[in-house]
Amino acid sequence: SFISSMTEQIPFKNNSFDCIFCYSVIYSTNYEKTLKEFFRILKPNGKLYLVTNDLGWYLKLLFSNHNSTIDYSSRKKAYNVLKYHLLSFFRKQNQKIDIFLPPNKLRNSLKKIGFKDTILDSEGKINSNSKSSSFYSDFMGFRCVYEVISNK
């Protein structure tokens, strides 16, 4: 069967899943509520794998207009994300648009919620040999996309 829900209110009992795979979604949610829900529904010693965008991705979109179409401007999306992030330093804002999560902020949130043994690296680098390159190279010296594995 198929179940659709918001990540902030997942309709499953506590300790239901061995693993959660979250690819390129966390930045479109209230990430702290989502992480708490993930922690709640993971079984003890369960694993969380997630991938999210970092600053380099939005800089790349801003400068290259990557994947834009007639009805979608990646440059405009990047502008809005970066504007939101910069303004959040000066005033509390309700998250209404996608954000980028600096790795240290995400790592701290995971730890605060109770996750442990967190590994964080550029996408494609965790559990690969050191000679492999990331799927998305850095842009202007900033990481574009990173992955996280963390345990309950």
Side-chain angles (χ1 to χ4, degrees), residues 82-94:
L82 293 169
K83 180 177 85 174
Y84 170 87
H85 191 76
L86 289 172
L87 290 175
S88 71
F89 287 111
F90 302 105
R91 62 179 182 254
K92 179 87 172 144
Q93 298 189 155
N94 290 326

Side-chain angles (χ1 to χ4, degrees), residues 24 27 53-69 72-82 98-100 136-140 142-145:
S24 202
Y27 55 80
N53 299 334
D54 202 353
L55 177 59
W57 180 250
Y58 295 103
L59 292 174
K60 179 178 181 170
L61 295 181
L62 189 65
F63 286 94
S64 70
N65 213 20
H66 177 73
N67 282 345
S68 287
T69 63
Y72 170 76
S73 169
S74 61
R75 183 171 284 142
K76 183 176 180 180
K77 178 177 188 70
Y79 170 79
N80 287 330
V81 169
L82 293 169
D98 292 354
I99 61 169
F100 75 88
Y136 295 98
S137 59
D138 291 354
F139 185 79
M140 297 175 64
F142 295 96
R143 182 180 2 224
C144 285
V145 180

Side-chain angles (χ1 to χ4, degrees), residues 3-150:
I3 296 173
S4 176
S5 74
M6 300 296 290
T7 59
E8 296 93 340
Q9 295 177 318
I10 302 172
F12 290 100
K13 294 179 182 175
N14 296 353
N15 306 312
S16 294
F17 294 91
D18 295 313
C19 182
I20 294 174
F21 181 90
C22 178
Y23 190 93
S24 202
V25 173
I26 193 85
Y27 55 80
S28 293
T29 71
N30 179 320
Y31 76 95
E32 289 176 320
K33 287 182 179 179
T34 296
L35 293 174
K36 287 177 185 175
E37 276 295 276
F38 287 171
F39 191 83
R40 182 186 67 77
I41 65 172
L42 272 175
K43 291 179 181 176
N45 300 312
K47 292 200 180 294
L48 170 64
Y49 174 83
L50 66 87
V51 175
T52 191
N53 299 334
D54 202 353
L55 177 59
W57 180 250
Y58 295 103
L59 292 174
K60 179 178 181 170
L61 295 181
L62 189 65
F63 286 94
S64 70
N65 213 20
H66 177 73
N67 282 345
S68 287
T69 63
I70 291 171
D71 58 351
Y72 170 76
S73 169
S74 61
R75 183 171 284 142
K76 183 176 180 180
K77 178 177 188 70
Y79 170 79
N80 287 330
V81 169
L82 293 169
K83 180 177 85 174
Y84 170 87
H85 191 76
L86 289 172
L87 290 175
S88 71
F89 287 111
F90 302 105
R91 62 179 182 254
K92 179 87 172 144
Q93 298 189 155
N94 290 326
Q95 181 184 334
K96 297 198 186 321
I97 64 166
D98 292 354
I99 61 169
F100 75 88
L101 290 168
N104 61 331
K105 187 172 187 176
L106 182 56
R107 184 187 301 273
N108 290 340
S109 293
L110 288 164
K111 185 177 180 179
K112 180 178 168 185
I113 291 165
F115 283 97
K116 58 188 180 202
D117 305 323
T118 299
I119 303 169
L120 189 148
D121 206 342
S122 295
E123 185 182 23
K125 298 293 275 183
I126 294 178
N127 292 330
S128 67
N129 67 43
S130 61
K131 295 178 184 174
S132 66
S133 61
S134 176
F135 297 134
Y136 295 98
S137 59
D138 291 354
F139 185 79
M140 297 175 64
F142 295 96
R143 182 180 2 224
C144 285
V145 180
Y146 66 95
E147 62 188 353
V148 176
I149 297 176
S150 199

